[in-house]
Amino acid sequence: MLTTIKPRRRTVMLYLSVPVALFVFTVFVPLVTALVYSFFEWKGGPSKQFTGLANYQQLFRDGVFWQAFGHNIYLVVACIIGQIGIAFIMVMFVNSRMARLKGIHRTFGFFPSTISAVCIGLIWSMVYHYKFGLINWFLRIIGRPDLQQVWLNDSKHVMLYVTIPLIWQYIGYYMVIILSAIASINTDVLESAEIDGANGFQKSVYIVLPLIRNTMLVCITLCIAGNMKAFDNIYVMTSGGPGTSSMVMAMWGYKVSFQQSNMGYGSCISVAIFVLSLLVIGGSQWAIKRATRNMGD
């Protein structure tokens, strides 16, 4: 007869105290501190002047911040389609009977997500380089030097160019999550669908997706949270330029806080990033759950 070992409540609380303390110290305390500082005019020195809601009034009139917010939304939409969409397609291919060397596909697919974001930014900066970059080199090889350009100086399309490395880096990350979800599906369900004549597309859309709906919702939430605070790759590649064409919220908050030495307004931007991220995540979850509920009806 098996007996369940149930630790005392005091023991459980003792084990949880360290991670909870770390969470409070690294997440909750900085957030509360930023909220407090957002009501002050503070240049980073010992003196602070209380200004009430002046920083928030300035935020609503700050065109650069709202342009950066639009860029973050662009990243969210592009990465949900690019990262999660491509990851799902690749997972279905890896799990198909046509695929060979499945372990290698999984390993190399996940590899880019293990590289530092700064290194990814440097690698793709070299890819986009005008003289030595891979893209312009390929255009010269195929006899189309007229198509060469300074890619990251194109203010009209620079957001697309900085989004491509983000998509490339995290496809493997979402592949691993989706693979683990699909592994939990009973193979009898998929075999029954094949017997009924369902093709690969039909199995993917009408069987696999509904069964891993909760996992896909987690992937979308992670994708939104990650891209609402995007910073590293874009800072290395463009620093928000040309002008503010690739500026994102976190980078604008960094520049205001540390380059303009306006810590009070920078804290206000940090609070706004947190609130807007919660609103976007909550809104997306509500919309997805409502859409799936309507599909079920």
Side-chain angles (χ1 to χ4, degrees), residues 47-109:
S47 61
K48 297 186 287 290
Q49 180 181 356
F50 181 76
T51 57
L53 297 175
N55 285 327
Y56 290 94
Q57 293 173 351
Q58 181 182 350
L59 181 72
F60 282 107
R61 299 191 301 267
D62 190 345
V64 177
F65 174 80
W66 294 108
Q67 180 191 24
F69 173 67
H71 292 160
N72 280 100
I73 296 298
Y74 176 93
L75 285 175
V76 166
V77 175
C79 289
I80 287 175
I81 297 171
Q83 292 174 351
I84 301 175
I86 296 175
F88 179 75
I89 293 171
M90 293 181 67
V91 166
M92 295 308 298
F93 171 75
V94 169
N95 277 349
S96 68
R97 295 178 179 177
M98 297 184 296
R100 298 291 183 269
L101 303 174
K102 296 183 180 182
I104 294 178
H105 290 302
R106 293 167 184 166
T107 302
F108 281 95

Side-chain angles (χ1 to χ4, degrees), residues 102-292:
K102 296 183 180 182
I104 294 178
H105 290 302
R106 293 167 184 166
T107 302
F108 281 95
F110 184 71
F111 177 72
S113 61
T114 64
I115 304 175
S116 165
V118 174
C119 294
I120 295 292
L122 289 172
I123 290 169
W124 280 86
S125 295
M126 292 187 285
V127 171
Y128 288 128
H129 195 276
Y130 179 75
K131 283 188 176 181
F132 311 110
L134 188 63
I135 297 176
N136 284 347
W137 171 82
F138 178 74
L139 291 174
R140 289 193 297 270
I141 290 295
I142 64 174
R144 294 303 304 270
D146 55 301
L147 298 178
Q148 293 182 115
Q149 60 173 298
V150 184
W151 298 94
L152 296 179
N153 279 1
D154 183 357
S155 59
K156 188 176 181 181
H157 300 105
V158 68
M159 280 305 300
L160 172 63
Y161 301 147
V162 298
T163 303
I164 291 173
L166 285 170
I167 293 174
W168 174 78
Q169 182 178 9
Y170 287 105
I171 289 174
Y173 176 78
Y174 293 107
M175 277 183 65
V176 172
I177 298 175
I178 297 171
L179 273 168
S180 63
I182 292 179
S184 64
I185 298 175
N186 194 332
T187 55
D188 293 340
V189 176
L190 300 177
E191 290 173 359
S192 299
E194 290 181 0
I195 293 172
D196 291 337
N199 56 34
F201 176 81
Q202 291 170 331
K203 286 193 299 181
S204 301
V205 174
Y206 299 112
I207 298 176
V208 175
L209 270 179
L211 291 175
I212 63 169
R213 178 180 59 189
N214 292 333
T215 300
M216 296 300 286
L217 185 60
V218 170
C219 289
I220 291 172
T221 302
L222 290 173
C223 187
I224 294 173
N227 287 289
M228 288 298 287
K229 60 181 180 64
F231 177 83
D232 313 50
N233 306 54
I234 301 175
Y235 182 77
V236 171
M237 295 174 69
T238 64
S239 294
T244 57
S245 300
S246 61
M247 185 68 66
V248 288
M249 292 188 293
M251 192 181 303
W252 182 235
Y254 167 80
K255 290 194 173 186
V256 167
S257 298
F258 300 107
Q259 294 184 3
Q260 300 177 15
S261 297
N262 192 347
M263 303 296 290
Y265 185 49
S267 299
C268 175
I269 292 174
S270 300
V271 173
I273 293 172
F274 176 75
V275 173
L276 290 172
S277 299
L278 288 181
L279 290 175
V280 173
I281 291 171
S284 63
Q285 289 184 342
W286 174 82
I288 293 169
K289 289 179 180 178
R290 184 176 180 182
T292 53

Side-chain angles (χ1 to χ4, degrees), residues 1-5:
M1 182 177 178
L2 295 176
T3 57
T4 303
I5 300 175

